[in-house]
Amino acid sequence: MELTAASELSLRELSTLFARSFEGYFVTIPDAPLLFDARVRGEHISLADSRVARVEGVPVGLVLMARRGRVSRVAGMGIVPAYRHRKLGGAMLSPLMEEARARGDTRMLLEVIEQNTPAVKLYERLGFQRVRRLVGFVGTPTPEPAELEEVEPVDCARLLPEGLPWQLAPATVAGLALPARAFRLGPAVAVLGDVSAPTLVVRAIAVEPEARGKGAGRRLLRALAAAYPGKSLAVSAIVPEGLCDRFFLGAGFNPSQLTQLEFALGPW
């Protein structure tokens, strides 16, 4: 097996390889170049630092590496079905861990679906330590029409605290672009994923400090349900357990079945 820079492939080729590498996974990864491009830009993925795994020249896996400051993140690692169970995962990631140390990164982060036992064991074997459990929610709030103002994702990012997981961090939310869209209702702001999708994914939601605890966030969720009738709302498993449980459960959501574990390697 050899590793080559992901930047050597086209966006179309990377999108297809990414989808193939996650066939049969816990969540469906579509082969959609525009969505792949949005992921790359929104999560600060460096294609120059990401790697394609090749066997006899044929791409068989992909490791996406995100970088922000002196912190790296494994934004996705997968292997096409025919080459799984050959112990390629460790061989793919170990060189990237060494590259991160060599360039002076202080930490490497990743998230893994908790129910994905083989992957959890792999990361633990490589020295990653569990940081916290991440949870998600799904529900259909009672629709309550209201006049929503479309704003920029950065308006939500400004209200988020530091110390959140990578996908929920202010820097990530601020960088989200179409098809993500942001809406404000009074002091509350939410960022949605692709609103044309069957389910509305709430990428982030925040309320101005002086208005917190007064129902503004839940009113915004009800207004979004009214604006997009017939669609359920979902929050991916990127929220630290215990941080927003009362808020979402009180808004009529249920915990999602899949959870994630956030892992960290370092500081070095």
Side-chain angles (χ1 to χ4, degrees), residues 75-91:
M77 183 172 77
I79 300 169
V80 300
Y83 286 84
R84 293 173 188 167
H85 312 298
R86 301 190 187 190
K87 298 185 178 180
L88 293 181

Side-chain angles (χ1 to χ4, degrees), residues 38-45 66 68 73 75 166-167 172:
R39 178 189 293 265
V40 169
R41 289 182 288 108
E43 297 183 24
H44 295 123
I45 293 171
R68 195 152 59 213
R73 169 178 172 258
W166 190 285
Q167 290 176 289
T172 299

Side-chain angles (χ1 to χ4, degrees), residues 110-112 114 131-136 164-167 236-241 256 258-263:
L110 61 85
E111 307 89 38
V112 58
E114 187 172 12
V131 177
R132 52 191 166 183
R133 176 179 283 109
L134 307 178
V135 298
L164 293 172
W166 190 285
Q167 290 176 289
S236 300
I238 59 175
V239 182
E241 187 176 36
S256 53
L258 294 179
T259 56
Q260 290 204 107
L261 296 174
E262 184 181 30
F263 277 87

Side-chain angles (χ1 to χ4, degrees), residues 161-185:
E162 295 297 332
L164 293 172
W166 190 285
Q167 290 176 289
L168 195 55
T172 299
V173 174
L176 293 175
L178 291 172
R181 296 171 65 185
F183 298 92
R184 174 185 287 275
L185 179 62

Side-chain angles (χ1 to χ4, degrees), residues 212-254:
R212 291 171 186 166
K214 301 177 182 179
R218 292 176 184 174
R219 284 192 293 273
L220 174 55
L221 291 175
R222 293 194 294 269
L224 291 170
Y228 296 96
K231 295 188 177 186
S232 61
L233 276 65
V235 180
S236 300
I238 59 175
V239 182
E241 187 176 36
L243 180 64
C244 299
D245 296 31
R246 288 183 60 188
F247 170 75
F248 284 111
L249 296 177
F253 286 69
N254 293 310

Side-chain angles (χ1 to χ4, degrees), residues 139-167:
T140 306
T142 301
E144 185 178 296
E147 187 172 349
L148 295 169
E149 175 190 4
E150 185 156 8
V151 295
E152 296 297 328
V154 69
D155 292 351
C156 183
R158 291 192 185 106
L159 301 174
L160 295 172
E162 295 297 332
L164 293 172
W166 190 285
Q167 290 176 289

Side-chain angles (χ1 to χ4, degrees), residues 38-199:
R39 178 189 293 265
V40 169
R41 289 182 288 108
E43 297 183 24
H44 295 123
I45 293 171
S46 167
L47 294 181
D49 295 301
S50 301
R51 295 289 179 265
V52 172
R54 297 175 180 268
V55 173
E56 298 181 351
V58 178
V60 301
L62 180 65
V63 185
L64 295 177
M65 292 297 300
R67 294 180 60 195
R68 195 152 59 213
R70 297 181 66 185
V71 178
S72 298
R73 169 178 172 258
V74 183
M77 183 172 77
I79 300 169
V80 300
Y83 286 84
R84 293 173 188 167
H85 312 298
R86 301 190 187 190
K87 298 185 178 180
L88 293 181
M92 291 165 60
L93 187 54
S94 293
L96 298 185
M97 294 161 57
E98 294 303 318
E99 288 180 15
R101 289 190 184 97
R103 66 175 170 250
D105 287 355
T106 57
R107 287 190 303 155
M108 181 176 285
L109 307 174
L110 61 85
E111 307 89 38
V112 58
I113 289 179
E114 187 172 12
Q115 292 78 9
N116 189 355
T117 303
V120 171
K121 291 181 177 179
L122 169 65
Y123 296 131
E124 290 179 331
R125 188 166 65 250
L126 292 173
F128 284 84
Q129 301 292 318
R130 299 189 188 198
V131 177
R132 52 191 166 183
R133 176 179 283 109
L134 307 178
V135 298
F137 304 89
V138 61
T140 306
T142 301
E144 185 178 296
E147 187 172 349
L148 295 169
E149 175 190 4
E150 185 156 8
V151 295
E152 296 297 328
V154 69
D155 292 351
C156 183
R158 291 192 185 106
L159 301 174
L160 295 172
E162 295 297 332
L164 293 172
W166 190 285
Q167 290 176 289
L168 195 55
T172 299
V173 174
L176 293 175
L178 291 172
R181 296 171 65 185
F183 298 92
R184 174 185 287 275
L185 179 62
V189 186
V191 182
L192 303 181
D194 185 356
V195 298
S196 67
T199 299

